[in-house]
Amino acid sequence: MSDRQPILELDHLSVGYQTSAGIVNAVNDVNLTIYKEEIVGLIGESGSGKSTMAYAIMRLLKGDALITNGTIRVMGKDVYAMNLKELRAFRWAQMAMVFQSAMSALNPVMTVQTQMVDTILAHKKGMTRLQAIERANQLLDIVRIDRKAMQSYPHELSGGMRQRVVIAIAIALNPGFVIMDEPTTALDVVVQRSILDQIKEIQKQEKFAVLFISHDFSLVAEMASRVAIMYAGRIIEMTPSQTLQLGERHHPYTEGLLRAIPHLSADNITIEGIPGSPPNLVNLPRGCAFHPRCPVAVDVCKDQRPKAIPSGNGHVECHLFEGEQEVQHG
Ligand code: SF4
């Protein structure tokens, strides 16, 4: 992939929260590169650091959250080296985000048209209002919503239509990079399927790179070409999605997630999971943070944190994969 243009580059990124016990890292030394027109999935249980990472990339961290180490580059630009004016011009125009809840991403007292046109005009200085309305209409066509919805308020639309409007606003300025944070979680299965198909279609047309965040393994594997698996703030495995099936050798946590997907056979459905729950970040287990839950842990796992080891076209952080060369980027 080295000949492809990097769009997102996370270099030893750590993001922490200031607490009474000191700084607690929710994202811990993450290296990740996403290339032009690529969809990379990010998966992990609640509290694994997925959303903190997304908000850090967008420079939307709130309250006591802060970058404690590393850099974030989007389309070659250091996101935290920009002044506020540069950031305002860059965000949404070059990098955009589709949030989990369409209702909270939209302004309830403004029509769809006003919200779309305002977003476009805020960045396209030379554009007239009429041209912006035309662009907004084209965007509704792209996400397959009737142009009549322009005059609607968010509460007048169905959940699926609202999420399509949010996607339309995110791609309004042709960004090179879009984060999709659980974009269909709140929707029923049929609407979810139709929106996911549309996202894939639009991404091919508009050619942006995507970080697709979800806790649903089968969905991520279907959407993305590579998948990053996050546990306790670290990307503990990076792997091509076509390798994600039971029987292939993976990090024990990844294998647990794969077993947690319901398996259908002619006469039964089985669901196996991962025993225990994710660790408390304030008090992470020594060594490999997964060791209290790991069915194949060995003595060294309790004392030494595993390093990133190349595996297939990615990496894995597990002592059982040692003996192979360490890597810096995944
Ligand atoms: Fe399990 Fe040890 Fe590998 Fe961690 S390093 S996943 S505890 S075997």
Side-chain angles (χ1 to χ4, degrees), residues 65-87:
L66 69 163
I67 305 286
T68 54
N69 191 44
T71 54
I72 299 171
R73 299 179 83 81
V74 175
M75 327 257 303
K77 291 228 165 95
D78 184 334
V79 173
Y80 283 78
M82 294 178 202
N83 62 35
L84 283 180
K85 192 173 167 219
E86 290 166 334
L87 178 67

Side-chain angles (χ1 to χ4, degrees), residues 251-253 288-292 294-298 300-302 304 306 317-321:
H251 188 287
Y253 177 64
C288 173
F290 185 56
H291 87 252
C294 181
V296 289
V298 290
V300 67
C301 306
K302 295 177 189 152
Q304 283 176 34
E317 290 187 1
C318 173
H319 288 301
L320 301 184
F321 286 71

Side-chain angles (χ1 to χ4, degrees), residues 262-320:
H263 299 290
L264 300 169
S265 68
D267 45 13
N268 68 356
I269 300 173
T270 55
I271 303 177
E272 297 170 53
I274 303 169
S277 42
N280 181 348
L281 296 176
V282 178
N283 194 13
L284 275 184
R286 265 174 68 83
C288 173
F290 185 56
H291 87 252
R293 303 172 74 188
C294 181
V296 289
V298 290
D299 281 348
V300 67
C301 306
K302 295 177 189 152
D303 292 318
Q304 283 176 34
R305 187 156 77 191
K307 298 196 166 95
I309 308 293
S311 174
N313 282 326
H315 79 258
V316 61
E317 290 187 1
C318 173
H319 288 301
L320 301 184

Side-chain angles (χ1 to χ4, degrees), residues 87-152:
L87 178 67
R88 267 197 294 272
F90 190 80
R91 198 162 50 202
W92 307 119
Q94 306 293 337
M95 62 173 181
M97 182 160 169
V98 175
F99 296 90
Q100 253 177 64
S101 161
M103 205 56 198
S104 56
L106 294 170
N107 186 329
V109 295
M110 286 164 78
T111 62
V112 167
Q113 175 169 300
T114 307
Q115 301 192 52
M116 294 183 79
V117 168
D118 283 359
T119 306
I120 296 166
L121 289 178
H123 287 85
K124 301 267 181 197
K125 298 296 175 207
M127 201 179 247
T128 65
R129 190 158 194 89
L130 272 181
Q131 288 169 325
I133 292 172
E134 183 45 34
R135 171 69 179 148
N137 274 314
Q138 287 166 359
L139 287 161
L140 287 193
D141 295 346
I142 291 173
V143 295
R144 296 201 209 121
I145 298 183
D146 193 307
R147 290 183 175 200
K148 282 189 211 137
M150 279 289 213
Q151 304 314 324
S152 303

